[in-house]
Amino acid sequence: MSSERADEVIINTCFTTVHTVGVHNDGRRLRFMHKDGRFPVVFQKVPRDWSPYLLDIFTTLVEIRWRVMLLVFSLSYIVSWLFFGLCYWFIAFVHGDNIDDAAGNPCVVNVYGFTSAFLFSMETQATIGYGFRGMTETCMGAIIVVTAQDVFSCLLDTIIIGIVIAKMASARKRAQTVGFSRLAVVNLRDGVLCLSWRLGDFRGNHILEGVARAQLVRYSQQFEGPVAISYQDLEIHNRDLVLATPATVVHKLEPGSPLYNLSPDGLLEDDFELVVSFTYTGDSTGMLHQTRTSYTPADIHWGQRFRDMLKVGRKRYKVDYALFNETTWVTTPLLSAEQYDRGRSQPGLSMPVKRNCCCTEEVMQQTFF
């Protein structure tokens, strides 16, 4: 088999981006994305491994864990105190300051050893100002070191405050309060088969505006082992959302949809992953956030719909989030959208349909979590 044949893409689709990754050793296929939006990707043998993290140190400190960040910040202060304390001790040693030279004119008053120099460094950078130790006008070198430490102290405090604020206002925290339903459903909407999932904001302060997106990720096994991953955008019926109340995101299974020929029997046999996201702006901070999740064929239930969770009161709307992930059975054709459209164009053709009346009362009230 030639190298050209090995690099050939199996799935031939328009407007599709293809990447190649390795196959899992035990034959199992990993999820492209976890339900919480994390990607199971590990980088190995990256050229200049640490340079991207050091060049963008601000982003690195924002993304690390709180305990690591606090350790780094504590060490930055302690190391700076030690460094400048060492400078003061060296200046005092060179100038000849000592405890017996009472008539002398020292560079730094009451700094006779490294311990006292370290304490003076900490008092200077923290602006404590006990008044016991102080700088004189005798040594220009000591004055330059004090000036440099003051400037460095202001810069270090600015960086630490900025990183703490950025970490506390991280978009990931806000994204945890906006969530997708644990499953997606396929049912009829206005005579059209539709794939839909639910989106909700769990906080009281609402979202100004947001855009919903969906991509179909498919896996294709190639001849020599690698897996080709293709991405196809799905057209969303209601992309722009104001998430004051929970919304149902709908994709119509119409001609042109990658799922147009998908039937309920072939749903679990197919190998794809539906990656959905919602990019939005919060009204409290005005920051841009994104929440994402994915659905496998096992997460898509045919012939069901989400239960109503919005009620109209006298003065306000009432949303029952206990019903956010609950579904109920509805009448839905057991056909692909392509077969269903063909059957509608031929009135004499019978179509299998999943009906409510065929289910017992217990099955009709069944919910999925």
Side-chain angles (χ1 to χ4, degrees):
M1 181 66 64
S2 63
S3 59
E4 296 180 357
R5 180 65 180 276
D7 296 336
E8 184 180 359
V9 179
I10 303 299
I11 297 180
N12 185 16
T13 56
C14 298
F15 307 104
T16 300
T17 303
V18 177
H19 297 273
T20 303
V21 297
V23 183
H24 206 264
N25 293 331
D26 57 4
R28 293 184 294 107
R29 190 157 292 171
L30 295 174
R31 292 184 69 108
F32 179 77
M33 178 192 293
H34 293 303
K35 295 293 287 184
D36 58 0
R38 294 182 295 107
F39 292 94
V41 179
V42 177
F43 296 103
Q44 296 180 347
K45 298 181 181 179
V46 180
R48 301 190 313 174
D49 195 10
W50 290 99
S51 58
Y53 300 96
L54 296 178
L55 292 176
D56 190 10
I57 188 64
F58 183 84
T59 304
T60 301
L61 293 176
V62 171
E63 291 180 347
I64 60 177
R65 297 177 181 272
W66 275 102
R67 56 179 177 266
V68 179
M69 185 194 68
L70 294 176
L71 177 62
V72 171
F73 289 167
S74 301
L75 289 177
S76 64
Y77 279 111
I78 295 174
V79 170
S80 65
W81 295 339
L82 290 172
F83 172 77
F84 286 104
L86 183 63
C87 293
Y88 295 132
W89 173 82
F90 180 76
I91 292 173
F93 176 79
V94 172
H95 190 260
D97 299 344
N98 56 72
I99 194 171
D100 298 328
D101 190 9
N105 193 7
C107 289
V108 184
V109 180
N110 295 320
V111 172
Y112 310 111
F114 179 75
T115 302
S116 58
F118 172 78
L119 293 176
F120 175 73
S121 173
M122 182 173 59
E123 294 169 13
T124 301
Q125 187 165 334
T127 65
I128 296 176
Y130 287 130
F132 180 67
R133 300 177 181 88
M135 180 65 59
T136 65
E137 300 176 358
T138 304
C139 301
M140 183 57 64
I143 297 175
I144 294 175
V145 173
V146 170
T147 304
Q149 185 175 10
D150 290 339
V151 174
F152 176 79
S153 175
C154 295
L155 179 62
L156 183 60
D157 292 342
T158 303
I159 294 175
I160 291 177
I161 293 173
I163 291 176
V164 170
I165 293 176
K167 195 170 183 64
M168 293 179 64
S170 175
R172 297 178 183 177
K173 304 301 180 183
R174 182 65 176 96
Q176 294 177 0
T177 61
V178 177
F180 292 92
S181 57
R182 295 193 181 98
L183 55 88
V185 296
V186 177
N187 51 42
L188 281 175
R189 285 176 172 265
D190 300 327
V192 179
L193 279 174
C194 297
L195 171 66
S196 59
W197 54 93
R198 182 172 271 175
L199 176 66
D201 183 9
F202 308 137
R203 287 182 62 94
N205 55 333
H206 302 304
I207 292 171
L208 295 178
E209 58 181 355
V211 179
R213 289 193 57 190
Q215 280 189 327
L216 194 69
V217 181
R218 288 187 181 274
Y219 305 83
S220 175
Q221 182 73 39
Q222 292 188 344
F223 178 75
E224 295 183 353
V227 175
I229 303 180
S230 63
Y231 306 84
Q232 296 174 279
D233 290 332
L234 297 186
E235 183 178 355
I236 303 300
H237 177 64
N238 47 347
R239 289 174 55 90
D240 301 321
L241 299 173
V242 177
L243 208 60
T245 60
T248 301
V249 185
V250 178
H251 167 67
K252 294 183 177 181
L253 304 182
E254 296 177 327
S257 170
L259 301 175
Y260 183 60
N261 59 352
L262 183 66
S263 64
D265 294 334
L267 177 62
L268 296 180
E269 299 177 359
D270 205 340
D271 192 7
F272 66 87
E273 192 164 336
L274 179 64
V275 177
V276 299
S277 64
F278 182 60
T279 306
Y280 51 94
T281 303
D283 62 349
S284 299
T285 60
M287 297 178 60
L288 193 65
H289 310 270
Q290 185 183 73
T291 301
R292 55 182 181 264
T293 190
S294 67
Y295 300 103
T296 61
D299 299 324
I300 301 176
H301 291 182
W302 198 284
Q304 298 181 32
R305 69 168 179 86
F306 292 107
R307 297 184 61 180
D308 297 331
M309 55 184 299
L310 181 63
K311 297 180 180 180
V312 180
R314 292 184 177 181
K315 296 183 178 180
R316 62 187 64 185
Y317 295 95
K318 298 180 181 179
V319 180
D320 186 5
Y321 268 100
L323 304 176
F324 185 72
N325 290 299
E326 295 192 8
T327 62
T328 184
W329 297 98
V330 291
T331 302
T332 307
L334 296 177
L335 299 171
S336 66
E338 182 181 12
Q339 295 171 331
Y340 177 68
D341 292 342
R342 189 184 305 118
R344 294 177 61 187
S345 62
Q346 302 176 8
L349 185 64
S350 60
M351 296 182 294
V353 177
K354 179 181 288 186
R355 302 181 182 276
N356 291 345
C357 59
C358 297
C359 305
T360 63
E361 182 68 21
E362 180 181 359
V363 175
M364 288 178 61
Q365 298 298 327
Q366 181 179 3
T367 58
F368 296 84
F369 297 91

